[in-house]
Amino acid sequence: MKSSAKHYDPDTTEPISSGLQSLEELLSWKRSEANPFNVATVPLANREPSLASTPHRTLVSHDMMGGYLDDRFLQGAESEAPYVFYHWQYIDVFNYFSHNMVTIPPAVWTNAAHRHGVIVLGTFITEWTDGGKMCEVFLKEEESYRAVADRLVQIVHCYGFDGWLINIENPLGETAVKNTPLFLRYLTDQMHERVPGSMVLWYDSVLENGQLKWQNELNPSNRVFFSACDGIFTNYNWTEQSLERMKAYSAAQGRLADIFVGVDVFARGEVVGGKLETNKALEMIRKHDFSTAIFAPGWVYESIPDKTDFRKEQDRFWSLLSDFLYVHRPSSPLPFVSSFCQGAGTSLYWRGQREVDRSWFNLDAQELQPLYYKETLEGEGWLRTQGCPEDAWSGGSSLLVEGVLPSMLSKVCARIFSLQVPLSSRVFVSLIYKPSPGVTVSLELKTADATLCTHRGVQDIPTSSVEPAALTEDHQLVRQFSQSCGQWNPDGWTVRCSQLELQGCTLRDVCVSVQRDGGDKDTPFKCRVGEIMILDAESLSVPPLPVQSVCIYDVVWLRGASKLHLNATLRWRYPAQLVRHFLVYWRRLRGPDPRIPSGKLALIGRAYCPLFRVTELTVPEPPGLLELVVEPVSREGFRVPESQWGRRSLSYTEERTDQS
């Protein structure tokens, strides 16, 4: 598949994501010319409660400075203090918003959202005079509006996201407005048929008479659009009276969850709440049993002059909303693994060692996120969990569990994950952490009878606490684990391996227990948790699979500063669910002088899917033969034997290049 020039950044030649600007560009879109780097590779994870069974849904509409910022770089970017979102457990739907006519979400966002069970919507927007002209063209007849809808469905199906927010912000003529509900119904039906679990939402803007007049509610003037799709996203200037009218309105009956009441976090115009009072808006919306659409929560990032305060301010913002949001429980089967990476960092770590010593941003690297909160304990005691970029086991951050253990308590338990994960009969658990002196840290798991966890909507299931018993270094499972991990040096990290034998249990909570070693005084503590891993013990003896079908294409040779640079796309096959990331290397096999031996493998970068663009790689002068090598790293962090790595060589001469 040849890639278009628009899929690459003109300055760096790195793969980028972009939207479509015009009706002509949309109608001429072809799957064969799609951007392969922007195809999401993470399937939508299961969670409880599911979207369908959540009565009060939460949508986040990410509108930040025009969109396609550092997040457009699909293999990551160097970024000092990027915006990242990591409170996924609170939300159901993520909408990527920009003012391109067709906003296709960058795959890094779709992958991060899907990993947490959150669906992703792109945006189809028309506005101003040009938007009006566009609508008159594509809404003039059935054939034209179906052609647009078909392309929108194909784009979702190709890129792996989950639907559209339809935002017509210009007046419509008589024919166009009559055809709009038909367009919405056709688009929604086709989406549901091609992409199960997909969603099409209508933004409250145009009325059934074609007038552009925001209603801030569902009412007889816009119900025809609501009835033709999966829901409505209301404008922001509503009042409590608007909510009361909507709740009593006949068209809302049985569909309150499909009404997403808009909240502008920037608090523009006459609105309830916004900024650090957004919780007031949510409280009122939930009181009347509606879903909510939180628009531009990136206000937190944009409003602070010192971006290094971003994590603290973001945690504060979402903690204010938390009383009005569900905590969704991931329910995918084992293995359960997280090193708490938020998808950015000031350094990139692997097994506690700095691998890259510069700031980076790549949401594909974001792992399952824990619960971030602050809790007041008895007396002077308190407990907080937060991301810690100053040190990490893997990726860009660890989880900092800190607080004061009050004198009247001997231990405190920090809940860091709420889950609904079925457990095998023999479970292997590893905890990697750095504790402060004076306390003992361990893992506490809360399990429930699996038969109780099959009933939908049951939140308060009785649980039992178990502390996995630590295994000695010579235990068979620990030896298997160590062999799988290969050489490593914990460098101040404690690695604790343990085993559980259970029957018919489901894991509900993962907690970090902090116990005072002695005395009865208030005890300040800090514990960095580097990684938690819960595996079916049998998986430790499963042999790794080989990388297959490595190919090189889109090869471009460039000369700069009297050096030869290789740009090329590398693709291979490997089961995505088995891998945490891939390491891509290169080496020189042969150069102009046959007496010089082959070079050593040199790391080019990390890939998070079986596709990687090599950019500006300096290689020896021709004629030459080089090799590109792909090493998979399993989800558990296990090394794969070199015999299973993927390889492809590339020979090149002054006149031409060819693959071998």
Side-chain angles (χ1 to χ4, degrees), residues 142 145-146 149-150 152-153 163-164 166 180-201 226-230 255:
E142 183 179 15
Y145 72 67
R146 283 192 168 206
D150 288 341
L152 292 175
V153 173
W164 295 103
I166 306 296
T180 299
L182 302 175
F183 161 68
L184 281 175
R185 173 47 57 202
Y186 177 75
L187 172 62
T188 304
D189 289 346
Q190 291 299 304
M191 283 294 310
H192 290 176
E193 189 177 314
R194 291 288 301 280
V195 184
S198 57
M199 177 181 278
V200 176
L201 293 184
F226 174 68
S227 301
C229 66
D230 294 315
R255 290 193 68 189

Side-chain angles (χ1 to χ4, degrees), residues 51 57 85 150 153 166 194 237 246 270 273 275 369 425 451 541 609:
L51 179 64
R57 300 169 185 168
F85 180 78
D150 288 341
V153 173
I166 306 296
R194 291 288 301 280
N237 306 109
M246 269 200 295
E270 292 293 316
K275 300 184 178 177
Q369 290 299 293
S425 56
T451 57
S541 54
C609 68

Side-chain angles (χ1 to χ4, degrees), residues 12-13 556-560 563-568 570 584-588 602-605 612-621 626-629 650 652:
T12 66
T13 77
V556 178
W557 300 90
L558 296 173
R559 281 213 171 268
K563 290 186 176 177
L564 183 64
H565 300 289
L566 169 66
N567 300 271
L570 195 62
V584 180
Y585 305 92
W586 83 283
R587 64 173 175 159
R588 184 185 60 79
L603 183 65
I604 301 173
F612 186 77
R613 182 70 180 171
V614 177
T615 57
E616 300 180 326
L617 177 66
T618 304
V619 298
E621 289 297 318
L626 59 83
E627 184 178 49
L628 294 170
V629 179
L650 181 71
Y652 55 103

Side-chain angles (χ1 to χ4, degrees), residues 277-353:
E277 294 189 334
T278 298
N279 55 312
K280 293 183 178 177
L282 257 65
E283 182 176 15
M284 201 177 286
I285 291 165
R286 298 308 199 207
K287 174 182 162 187
H288 294 281
D289 293 322
F290 291 112
S291 294
T292 186
I294 302 171
F295 186 74
W299 167 83
V300 175
Y301 179 86
E302 293 188 55
S303 65
I304 53 173
D306 184 357
K307 303 304 183 199
T308 57
D309 289 336
F310 167 61
R311 275 185 178 85
K312 183 180 75 178
E313 293 303 317
Q314 167 133 300
D315 291 350
R316 178 184 173 205
F317 175 81
W318 284 96
S319 71
L320 290 169
L321 307 187
S322 61
D323 285 347
F324 312 106
L325 303 170
Y326 283 97
V327 171
H328 294 272
R329 295 172 177 266
S331 57
S332 298
L334 294 179
F336 175 82
V337 181
S338 183
S339 65
F340 312 101
C341 178
Q342 295 177 340
T346 51
S347 297
L348 182 63
Y349 292 83
W350 178 245
R351 293 190 176 144
Q353 307 290 315

Side-chain angles (χ1 to χ4, degrees), residues 323-387:
D323 285 347
F324 312 106
L325 303 170
Y326 283 97
V327 171
H328 294 272
R329 295 172 177 266
S331 57
S332 298
L334 294 179
F336 175 82
V337 181
S338 183
S339 65
F340 312 101
C341 178
Q342 295 177 340
T346 51
S347 297
L348 182 63
Y349 292 83
W350 178 245
R351 293 190 176 144
Q353 307 290 315
R354 270 194 185 89
E355 211 171 63
V356 176
D357 203 7
R358 65 170 184 272
S359 294
W360 63 277
F361 171 50
N362 188 344
L363 286 170
D364 270 344
Q366 189 180 84
E367 302 215 346
L368 269 175
Q369 290 299 293
L371 303 169
Y372 296 102
Y373 60 94
K374 183 172 182 181
E375 187 180 318
T376 303
L377 305 175
E378 296 174 43
E380 299 294 309
W382 58 273
L383 169 70
R384 178 168 60 204
T385 62
Q386 62 182 28

Side-chain angles (χ1 to χ4, degrees), residues 61 95 97 121-124 163-167 201-203 233:
S61 187
N95 163 236
F97 187 92
L121 307 184
T123 306
F124 176 80
W164 295 103
L165 171 66
I166 306 296
N167 189 358
L201 293 184
W202 172 258
Y203 183 70
F233 177 151

